[in-house]
Amino acid sequence: KAGVTQTPRYLIKTRGQQVTLSCSPISGHRSVSWYQQTPGQGLQFLFEYFSETQRNKGNFPGRFSGRQFSNSRSEMNVSTLELGDSALYLCASSLTPGQGSSEQFFGPGTRLTVL
Amino acid sequence: AQSVTQLGSHVSVSEGALVLLRCNYSSSVPPYLFWYVQYPNQGLQLLLKYTTGATLVKGINGFEAEFKKSETSFHLTKPSAHMSDAAEYFCAVSDQSGNTPLVFGKGTRLSVIA
């Protein structure tokens, strides 16, 4: 069974641009969560989606948005990029919602660099 | 609010030595606790988790952790370190409802010296 796939793996953008990251969950998984990982802040929760509905949202500005499609694939978008948005963005999928109750499987991440 | 503190951002051990990575949590309700490992250029992989029941939890790759409620700790151990254990390790906590997001510690980088 294929694991969680994230595309692209690497991205370089400039300040002010916007970016869209994609995540394909493990087949049969309907829940997708997104995290931002930086050396200074560590792993921070962005959003959780289940059946195309956002269940939870972390403490990030409105520039960060996401969505989930009927096939459970998910995208996240960051508009008006800032230097501080440079990070590894991780996606995780699970069979059911609830990050504590259903094992999450992580993708390799998308490394975003903002210049 | 829940929080996790991992003592030591970097731990270095010799191959064959005991691995001990420390994690303390703060939670107003009995938590679920997790340890994840991240190898370079990869995502996180679940090592083990504590939900309820037996407080000593065994995970993959020979790791285990013990939930100590009185000490609010969930330290990760392995009797004998291998070179392949070199990675970043994250402790995380959630509440038992499963409705709150995982809260991660800052991580501990483990180096194994030959």
Side-chain angles (χ1 to χ4, degrees):
Chain A
K1 187 183 268 191
V4 177
T5 304
Q6 292 188 244
T7 56
R9 291 293 310 277
Y10 301 91
L11 263 180
I12 299 176
K13 293 285 187 178
T14 57
R15 279 179 298 174
Q17 287 187 308
Q18 67 94 25
V19 67
T20 299
L21 311 182
S22 180
C23 172
S24 293
I26 290 172
S27 178
H29 285 194
R30 296 169 59 197
S31 181
V32 172
S33 297
W34 287 89
Y35 298 85
Q36 181 195 65
Q37 185 178 20
T38 60
Q41 299 298 317
L43 277 154
Q44 293 186 286
F45 169 74
L46 280 158
F47 336 93
E48 180 187 11
Y49 287 90
F50 177 73
S51 293
E52 304 177 66
T53 301
Q54 188 180 89
R55 292 188 77 244
N56 272 308
K57 187 178 191 303
N59 189 24
F60 278 83
R63 300 185 298 108
F64 291 81
S65 62
R67 59 178 175 169
Q68 186 181 34
F69 302 96
S70 59
N71 62 358
S72 295
R73 190 177 69 85
S74 178
E75 289 182 347
M76 67 163 284
N77 184 278
V78 188
S79 62
T80 320
L81 284 165
E82 301 177 359
L83 295 179
D85 297 333
S86 295
L88 180 67
Y89 290 88
L90 292 166
C91 167
S93 76
S94 59
L95 277 169
T96 55
Q99 298 175 6
S101 54
S102 183
E103 181 176 350
Q104 294 192 89
F105 294 83
F106 283 79
T110 294
R111 173 76 62 185
L112 172 64
T113 302
V114 182
L115 302 176
Chain B
Q2 296 169 319
S3 65
V4 174
T5 302
Q6 291 184 239
L7 294 175
S9 59
H10 184 206
V11 170
S12 185
V13 301
S14 298
E15 191 173 21
L18 171 72
V19 175
L20 171 60
L21 304 182
R22 300 178 186 274
C23 171
N24 288 88
Y25 68 90
S26 171
S27 178
S28 58
V29 297
Y32 285 174
L33 294 157
F34 307 80
W35 275 100
Y36 284 86
V37 62
Q38 185 178 32
Y39 298 102
N41 298 315
Q42 294 186 29
L44 277 68
Q45 180 184 10
L46 181 66
L47 276 177
L48 50 81
K49 68 178 180 181
Y50 168 78
T51 53
T52 57
T55 57
L56 182 62
V57 181
K58 295 187 183 298
I60 61 173
N61 302 339
F63 284 94
E64 62 182 37
E66 186 171 11
F67 170 61
K68 292 187 176 181
K69 185 177 179 181
S70 61
E71 299 177 8
T72 61
S73 69
F74 191 57
H75 301 331
L76 182 70
T77 60
K78 182 174 181 178
S80 176
H82 295 161
M83 298 297 291
S84 60
D85 294 327
E88 187 105 23
Y89 292 80
F90 294 91
C91 182
V93 63
S94 78
D95 72 19
Q96 293 186 13
S97 73
N99 290 323
T100 58
L102 284 176
V103 175
F104 286 88
K106 295 286 190 184
T108 297
R109 185 162 60 90
L110 176 66
S111 297
V112 182
I113 304 166

